Amino acid sequence: MSIRLYNTLTRSKQAFRPGDPSRVTMYVCGPTVYNYAHIGNARPAVVFDLLYRLLRSRYQNVVYARNITDIDDKIIKAAAASGEPIDALTARFTDIYRRDMAALGVLPPDLEPRATDHMDEMVAMIEALLDGGHAYLAEGHVLFDVTSHPAYGELSGRSLDDMEAGARVEVEDYKRNPGDFVLWKPSTADQPGWDSPWGRGRPGWHIECSAMSAKHLGATIDIHGGGRDLVFPHHENELAQSVCVHRQPFVRYWVHNGFLTVDRDKMSKSEGNTLTVHELLEQFPGEVLRLVLMSAHYRQPLDWSDAALQQARERLNRMYLSLRELDEVELDEPEIDAPVDLREALEDDLNTPKALGLLATYVNRANSATDPDERRRLKAGLLGAGRLLGLLGHEPEAWLKAGAGRQRVDAEVVEALIAERTRARRAADFDQADRIRDQLNEMGVIIEDGAGETRWRIAT
Ligand code: AMP
Ligand code: ZN
């Protein structure tokens, strides 16, 4: 079976057929780097990381680009508010974003183009749009004329008439049509700017992605992704510009993730209900956050809650406990492979709820398997599934002892207490042994007395 993906453009699930199977290309709109990413922003990073892993397991050469938007009015405002130079601010938050995503098990993309490194490409595209009659100059701005592209609106399903009717009253009067959008705008002396044929200024947001994807991946790309809110206007506009310049299809499969909500409200800076990845990582291991993000199908809304976090933590613990019990099985690298049914679930438009349900059944099977061949198969399948999903990357023993944030314990202290308890038991001082066990339990440590040794782990 081939990979199937829901394509926003055709509004249907389709078999994935790359233009060139020897070079599969994917572009995902990345962060605007002026503050910490919230967990909603992490959803597309994790969803497309999963797709990237899946594609890499099928195709030899996958080129994944996720850009960094390092010029934007929000960045200019944030830098002015903090007094920090713009490039220092964007470099700092780029770094934080990379570290946060790595903690969520997100592989670095192959390319991470930055908008400010692509001014020449953007200017060239805008010139081509002007030459082709798709753009016009007005009060120092260059604007895209949406009426010049009859297919405009095809991605989001909006017609120009709808847009006109829905346009807010404060449409700038230099625009010919309410839907026209900025390709280039003038900068004042205190704003960052680049020289261009239209004076010193800066690009609009949409042109960045059109220019960077064309430069690095080619004029037609296989997959373009992002959150659902980007369908309109961002992706609609990218599509219009790219097609008008290159005169060939821009994207074969448009893939969009649904929103992460809190108490059913969209998580966003304007709602003031954001939880940053950075803060969450102080309380939970990244793998727990990743598992919550994969617990709903990517196109469905996902409601963030403490209960979901707790459940994910317990689920992962069960998996690691099971792997610890399979410790005696030593695998050769090529044996590690995801079970076919789990792979098929993921290849069916990334059905993670189904894949995670299957993972739980392998864990149950592993817990009761006694036959060495079956134990071997199950461990190979569990680790293979983990690799495809970006989970189970830790040594079971280390995971079970690690905890996060408030849960973290000092392993040396725990080991010393266990040794003391063992001595007390040997001396038949059971009161003292019980007291030490209680003390460990209070620290959130569970101990298990086995034949000859006492093992321990963090309680969930
Ligand atoms: P932004 O930094 O706002 O441009 O967002 C970066 C990425 O996060 C985009 O792909 C957005 O669509 C996505 N995004 C923003 N908020 C959410 C949310 N609450 N749930 C899911 N995706 C989101
Ligand atoms: Zn974009």
Side-chain angles (χ1 to χ4, degrees):
M1 204 174 74
S2 62
I3 296 175
R4 285 183 298 149
L5 292 173
Y6 183 88
N7 186 347
T8 308
L9 183 65
T10 60
R11 291 156 183 79
S12 63
K13 216 193 285 190
Q14 295 177 303
F16 175 68
R17 305 224 187 289
D20 174 5
S22 70
R23 187 172 187 264
V24 176
T25 51
M26 174 160 84
Y27 184 95
V28 172
C29 299
T32 305
V33 279
Y34 67 105
N35 61 11
Y36 290 96
H38 62 67
I39 190 71
N41 300 138
R43 192 175 190 195
V46 167
V47 164
F48 291 99
D49 177 66
L50 181 61
L51 182 52
Y52 181 43
R53 287 169 187 263
L54 194 64
L55 291 167
R56 294 212 313 183
S57 75
R58 279 271 178 219
Y59 300 93
Q60 292 254 312
N61 181 19
V62 179
V63 190
Y64 173 22
R66 189 187 62 205
N67 70 292
I68 300 278
T69 296
D70 61 350
I71 176 68
D72 179 272
D73 287 358
K74 286 178 287 204
I75 296 176
I76 299 175
K77 238 191 243 162
S82 72
E84 198 174 357
I86 287 183
D87 35 353
L89 179 99
T90 56
R92 189 157 66 84
F93 282 111
T94 301
D95 222 45
I96 291 171
Y97 183 80
R98 287 189 185 133
R99 266 186 278 145
D100 284 349
M101 293 311 118
L104 297 181
V106 172
L107 299 171
D110 300 289
L111 302 162
E112 236 181 349
R114 296 189 314 165
T116 52
D117 291 335
H118 295 79
M119 286 300 153
D120 292 348
E121 289 81 359
M122 290 188 235
V123 166
M125 263 191 110
I126 297 170
E127 283 183 313
L129 289 169
L130 282 164
D131 288 349
H134 295 289
Y136 59 95
L137 277 157
E139 297 186 17
H141 294 67
V142 186
L143 293 144
F144 184 90
D145 175 359
V146 290
T147 61
S148 74
H149 180 53
Y152 188 82
E154 64 182 320
L155 180 65
S156 58
R158 298 180 190 217
S159 72
L160 285 183
D161 289 345
D162 292 347
M163 285 180 232
E164 196 127 6
R168 281 175 282 146
V169 270
E170 71 272 23
V171 172
E172 297 84 345
D173 51 16
Y174 53 78
K175 287 189 178 178
R176 286 187 196 158
N177 316 287
D180 291 354
F181 55 90
V182 169
L183 297 167
W184 189 264
K185 61 178 154 191
S187 292
T188 55
D190 57 344
Q191 289 171 331
W194 288 261
D195 290 330
S196 81
W198 322 287
R200 187 176 166 276
R202 59 193 192 280
W205 172 34
H206 317 303
I207 196 75
E208 284 179 21
C209 290
S210 288
M212 291 190 278
S213 63
K215 169 160 187 202
H216 297 284
L217 304 179
T220 302
I221 60 179
D222 291 317
I223 297 171
H224 193 329
R228 172 166 296 172
D229 58 324
L230 299 188
V231 174
F232 186 86
H234 185 51
H235 287 167
E236 192 72 67
N237 294 351
E238 279 186 37
L239 172 59
Q241 298 160 160
S242 296
V243 170
C244 289
V245 170
H246 301 297
R247 315 228 148 264
Q248 65 186 72
F250 175 38
V251 171
R252 293 193 177 83
Y253 303 87
W254 286 94
V255 181
H256 293 101
N257 65 271
F259 258 61
L260 188 142
T261 57
V262 185
D263 298 326
R264 316 278 160 212
D265 279 337
K266 165 178 166 178
M267 179 177 286
S268 71
K269 282 155 209 156
S270 53
E271 298 277 335
N273 61 355
T274 55
L275 284 168
T276 67
V277 176
H278 204 69
E279 292 162 335
L280 285 163
L281 284 171
E282 285 167 12
Q283 299 171 55
F284 300 93
E287 230 176 90
V288 169
L289 307 181
R290 180 176 178 100
L291 186 58
V292 178
L293 290 172
M294 295 197 304
S295 61
H297 187 265
Y298 78 92
R299 284 192 283 120
Q300 299 300 320
L302 168 65
D303 206 41
W304 195 260
S305 68
D306 289 342
L309 281 161
Q310 185 58 22
Q311 196 190 23
R313 190 198 282 264
E314 283 164 17
R315 264 173 147 178
L316 274 171
N317 259 40
R318 269 200 301 278
M319 294 182 214
Y320 277 111
L321 277 169
S322 181
L323 280 175
R324 190 178 69 176
E325 296 313 312
L326 292 166
D327 238 14
E328 88 287 356
V329 179
E330 293 202 15
L331 297 167
D332 293 328
E333 186 55 35
E335 285 179 271
I336 299 175
D337 197 12
V340 174
D341 50 359
L342 180 134
R343 169 181 285 282
E344 281 178 358
L346 293 177
E347 292 191 339
D348 182 12
D349 197 29
L350 304 180
N351 191 340
T352 50
K354 185 166 177 191
L356 294 174
L358 289 167
L359 197 53
T361 65
Y362 314 144
V363 168
N364 290 340
R365 256 186 265 159
N367 290 345
S368 56
T370 49
D371 174 63
D373 284 343
E374 199 190 351
R375 290 171 69 75
R376 193 173 189 85
R377 234 184 357 263
L378 283 161
K379 182 166 178 178
L382 274 174
L383 291 179
R387 251 182 223 181
L388 206 50
L389 291 160
L391 298 173
L392 304 178
H394 302 265
E395 278 300 317
E397 199 58 37
W399 170 272
L400 292 165
K401 288 181 174 162
R406 288 186 302 268
Q407 275 199 316
R408 208 164 281 144
V409 292
D410 184 334
E412 269 183 40
V413 172
V414 173
E415 308 278 356
L417 283 168
I418 289 176
E420 203 182 320
R421 176 171 169 272
T422 306
R423 279 196 297 277
R425 274 161 44 116
R426 291 215 179 107
D429 185 351
F430 297 111
D431 284 349
Q432 171 67 353
D434 286 351
R435 266 195 302 277
I436 297 173
R437 199 207 9 236
D438 292 346
Q439 187 183 345
L440 285 162
N441 288 352
E442 256 164 54
M443 291 165 66
V445 172
I446 293 178
I447 54 176
E448 301 157 12
D449 293 316
E453 57 152 357
T454 300
R455 295 197 297 192
W456 66 275
R457 64 187 164 93
I458 300 290
T460 46

